[in-house]
Amino acid sequence: MSGCGLFLRSAAAARSCRALVAFTASRRPLRTSPPSQAFAKELFLGKIEKKEVFPFPEVSQDELNEINQFVGPVEKFFTEEVDSQKIDREGKIPNETLEKLKSLGLFGMQVPEEYGGLGLSNTMYARLGEIISLDSSIAVTLAAHQAIGLKGIILAGSEEQKARYLPRLASGEHVAAFCLTEPASGSDAASIRTRATLSEDKKHYILNGSKVWITNGGLASVFTVFAKTEVVDSNGSVKDKVTAFIVERDFGGVTSGKPEDKLGIRGSNTCEVHFENTRVPVGNVLGEVGGGFKVAMNILNSGRFSMGSAVAGMLKTLIEMTAEYACTRKQFNRNLSEFGLIQEKFALMAQKAYVMESMAYLTAGMLDQPGFPDCSIEAAMVKVFSSEAAWQCVSEALQVLGGSGYMRDYPYERILRDSRILLIFEGTNEILRMYIALTGLQHAGRILTARVKQLKQGNVTTILETVGQRLRDSLGRAVDLGLTGKLGVVHPSMADSAHKLEQNVHYFSRTVETLLLRFGKTIVEEQLVLKRVANVLINLYGMTAVLSRASRSIRVGLQNHDHEVLLANIFCTEAYHQNLCTLSQLDKHSPENLDELIKKVSQQVLEKRAYVCAHPLDRPS
């Protein structure tokens, strides 16, 4: 990842830009079926909406050829000329490197072509994300600029706002930042204290407040800022609601703190941003006054899926480096690669990379469908799975590398440090698990309201019907949701895995109904329950993604498709048994459920704010 220079030859850069112009002109829509119901939400009802996920999304050969012409120069730049060790050591991306990124068009990947951007589809954005992830500091800088910094203008901006801001943001002349987090407001975005007050002449909002941990905060010229404003409701009452604003540094009163000294992604610029009596024109309200929370959530929900492809790209490079070491390092007169416990680690890394890559590109394909489908749950699941798998796999790679993995002379310890932030930013995994579970349960609750109400009221017909269903389930009835057979969509080599998915989905929906009956609206407070619901759903989506992808690989005759089948079957089997265990823990009287004991331990620790147990050498006085 270290390099020997900072610039591509101008001719190579020009060729890559010409290739990209040709690519954007020839782009075709993904060849997938028209969208139907939201896939993940329907799993809560025991339905697999096959048209959403089978066949696996494809791009045309022409589109693939064109993007590959652009991928080459970008990959060459990152692998040969980006000095990641220097960026990490100095805590800064060199200006020359930033200028080259701009010249390659990487600051405008998803900005529409009419505003000077590349107008990449979500699928092609994910593909480039694999390469950009070769340097985490650069990846975070670019993501903060376009996945969240300017994304609000694309999603909620007026035509005038788009025309004014997007061209210079796409070229990189202006850098964007996303300003939401505050000293007293992290995951609880609604509790922000930054305030925007309408001026007496009603031409400006006067913005005051501070934001923390803002990526690109010291580089940005344009900020998407969220602040409390007074809003008059339809009943005449005045309430504080969050509003989104486009704020220019040139408006005045905008200052940035010193760059933070971080554990990882050290080359990205992270700092505090302060607004003191900043005059923001009313025309710079993004979306509706009081609608800022929705704008923030739409921005964050739309970009999370790309973490899957980025992490997969990083893991593929890490697997190559670690495998080279394992196949040449000798211990006990044998290569490390010959030992079973080392082999297990490589199987794990390959499996995790395959699953997150499959989930990411399946979600990207859904997002590329016409009509702006809601894939917020799917995108959140990709983020949770890929971030946790990254941390696990990098740790396993360091275990293979031994002392070499711990030394700063090699890139491995930097990759470990860079990976830790993935579980925190763009929504902590704890918050996202709550979001995944509650969004799905809310959907199921709307559909099942009448049935749950009848069960609570003791409706005999509904009770008998439910008892009959549970009796048939207990006798191990076959579940057929149409994944296999003559009209099936999963290849026969993975029929057993498909049946496991169908069984899991069926029993998951039964559990969902039971939970709604048992907890009702109070389920929002049952975080340990919700965590398990989310974990099951993430596994179900991963199983679906690998079965769809591997089936497509067999059908079109991709190289090494038998390896994909191995990975898919291993993951589906492991996920199936994990789900069975988790679903059993959700039973009210499950002996495996230790939630009450866990709560008791944590309560005692937090009351004392310390480790409670006496020292093992203590004696009673």
Side-chain angles (χ1 to χ4, degrees), residues 159-175:
E159 289 304 316
E160 182 181 351
Q161 290 170 341
K162 291 176 182 178
R164 179 176 180 180
Y165 289 107
L166 289 180
R168 284 185 289 182
L169 289 168
S171 68
E173 178 184 348
H174 285 172
V175 175

Side-chain angles (χ1 to χ4, degrees), residues 429-448:
N429 286 7
E430 289 75 17
I431 289 292
L432 289 182
R433 277 190 166 89
M434 299 302 101
Y435 173 77
I436 291 164
L438 286 172
T439 304
L441 288 168
Q442 184 181 43
H443 174 74
R446 284 195 295 265
I447 306 298
L448 299 173

Side-chain angles (χ1 to χ4, degrees), residues 16 51 162 209 253 296 335 342 407 450 465 493 523-524 594:
S16 68
K51 289 187 292 184
K162 291 176 182 178
N335 290 331
I342 301 299
M407 299 300 135
E465 179 185 311
S493 61
I523 198 167
V524 298
L594 304 176

Side-chain angles (χ1 to χ4, degrees), residues 53 80 122 165 174 183 297 317 391 424 502 556:
V53 292
E80 296 182 4
N122 290 290
Y165 289 107
H174 285 172
M297 294 305 102
T317 301
W391 183 243
I424 299 172
E502 290 174 326
V556 301

Side-chain angles (χ1 to χ4, degrees), residues 39 51 67 93 99 143 193 197 224 354 369 468 585:
F39 177 77
K51 289 187 292 184
I67 191 62
I93 301 170
E99 290 304 314
R193 296 177 182 176
T197 305
T224 299
Y354 184 73
Q369 296 282 8
Q585 290 175 343

